[in-house]
Amino acid sequence: GAGSALRGDPGSAAAGGARGGRGAARGSPLQATSAASARRAVSLFPLLFQDRESTYMCSLSLFHYSEYLVTAINNPRSLSLDSFLLNHSFEYNLAAFSSWVEFALERFLCPEMKQVAWLSTAGLLMVIFGDCLRKAAMLTAGSNFNHIVQNEKSDTHTLVTSGVYGWFRHPSYVGWFYWSIGTQVLLCNPICAVGYTLVSWRFFRERVEEEEITLIHFFGEEYLEYKKRVPSGLPFIRGVKVEL
C-alpha cells in the first residue's frame, strides 16, 4: 500500500548510502534532515488553500488586532476597544456576513469554484500587500494618524509627506481597499469581490473628499501643492475639487 511504499523509501535510501561508502553514510543524516525540512516548508503552502476559510479568518484577525496594536504604539491616548475596528459600521459587518454566506453556499452547491489555487494565491498577495501598506502608513504618520477624521487641528498635527505618503496621499485607504477586495479573491467569492470593490470605492471616494476638506483647512497651500504632486492612490479618485 501507500503506507508501505512510504516506509520503504528511507530504508532504500539508507541502503544505497551504505553501499556508497563511509563518507556518504556520514553525510546522509544531515542531507536527509535538510531535505525533510525543505519538504515540510513547501508542504505548508498548499495547506493555505485547502482550508481557505481558515486563512481568511487568520487574515481578518491579524488585520483587526494589528489596528489596535499600531494605535497603541502610535497614539496611546486615543486607544480604546473601538481601535480594533470590529464595530466599524453596520455595513462593514453586513459585508463580512455576506461573504461568509456566499462562501458557504458556493462551497456546498459548486465546490469546484473554491479550488482555483492561483486565484486564492492572488487574493492572499493582495491581502498581505494591503495590510502591510496600511500599517506602514499608520506607523509613518505616527500620532497624526487617527481612525476618526479630526475637525480641529491640534498643536502636534503636521502634514506627513514622506515614506509611503510620498507614493500616495491616502496610503492607509489604498491598503484597506485592496485588503478588503483581496479577502474575497482569496475565498473565490465572485459576487462579494465585485460588491466589495464597488462599495469600498464609493466609501473611500466620499471619505477622501471629506478628509481633504479638513486637510486643506488645516494646511492650506501646503496641502494643495502636495495634492498636485502625489496621487490619491485609489483608482479614479482624485479627491476634493478646489475652486480657485
Side-chain angles (χ1 to χ4, degrees):
S4 300
L6 288 172
R7 288 193 298 270
D9 288 341
S12 299
R19 287 193 298 270
R22 293 182 178 271
R26 284 196 299 269
S28 60
L30 180 59
Q31 293 172 356
T33 301
S34 300
S37 299
R39 284 195 298 270
R40 282 196 296 269
V42 172
S43 67
L44 288 176
F45 191 73
L47 292 177
L48 292 172
F49 307 113
Q50 292 174 9
D51 194 5
R52 288 167 173 79
E53 59 269 38
S54 296
T55 307
Y56 164 78
M57 290 304 298
C58 286
S59 66
L60 191 67
S61 300
L62 180 61
F63 176 85
H64 287 287
Y65 173 73
S66 58
E67 289 287 315
Y68 184 90
L69 179 63
V70 175
T71 302
I73 295 170
N74 275 352
N75 200 355
R77 291 183 179 180
S78 67
L79 189 67
S80 70
L81 289 178
D82 292 341
S83 302
F84 282 108
L85 295 185
L86 291 172
N87 58 344
H88 179 270
S89 65
F90 171 77
E91 291 80 7
Y92 181 80
N93 294 330
L94 179 62
F97 179 73
S98 298
S99 72
W100 305 337
V101 171
E102 179 184 353
F103 182 85
L105 287 175
E106 290 174 351
R107 187 174 186 178
F108 177 75
L109 297 173
C110 194
E112 61 272 15
M113 287 182 62
K114 304 303 180 185
Q115 303 302 319
V116 187
W118 68 265
L119 191 60
S120 288
T121 303
L124 181 60
L125 292 175
M126 290 175 68
V127 165
I128 294 171
F129 165 77
D131 203 4
C132 288
L133 177 60
R134 179 169 172 83
K135 298 315 181 292
M138 294 173 69
L139 290 168
T140 302
S143 61
N144 292 284
F145 186 91
N146 199 301
H147 285 127
I148 301 173
V149 176
Q150 303 296 291
N151 295 318
E152 295 183 7
K153 183 182 178 182
S154 71
D155 295 336
T156 59
H157 272 158
T158 57
L159 180 61
V160 180
T161 60
S162 60
V164 291
Y165 287 87
W167 306 344
F168 313 120
R169 295 199 308 275
H170 302 280
S172 67
Y173 294 161
V174 176
W176 196 346
F177 179 74
Y178 286 108
W179 173 86
S180 66
I181 299 170
T183 60
Q184 300 313 299
V185 177
L186 168 64
L187 291 174
C188 300
N189 280 355
I191 297 173
C192 280
V194 174
Y196 272 45
T197 302
L198 297 176
V199 173
S200 296
W201 184 88
R202 181 177 178 181
F203 170 80
F204 286 120
R205 183 191 63 182
E206 295 173 356
R207 183 68 175 256
V208 164
E209 291 179 356
E210 176 189 357
E211 186 170 306
E212 289 195 337
I213 291 172
T214 301
L215 290 168
I216 291 170
H217 175 69
F218 285 0
F219 302 106
E221 192 64 32
E222 184 183 5
Y223 186 79
L224 292 175
E225 288 297 321
Y226 172 64
K227 186 176 184 296
K228 290 178 183 178
R229 293 195 319 269
V230 180
S232 73
L234 293 158
F236 309 108
I237 296 179
R238 301 183 64 181
V240 67
K241 295 180 180 179
V242 180
E243 299 286 342
L244 299 178

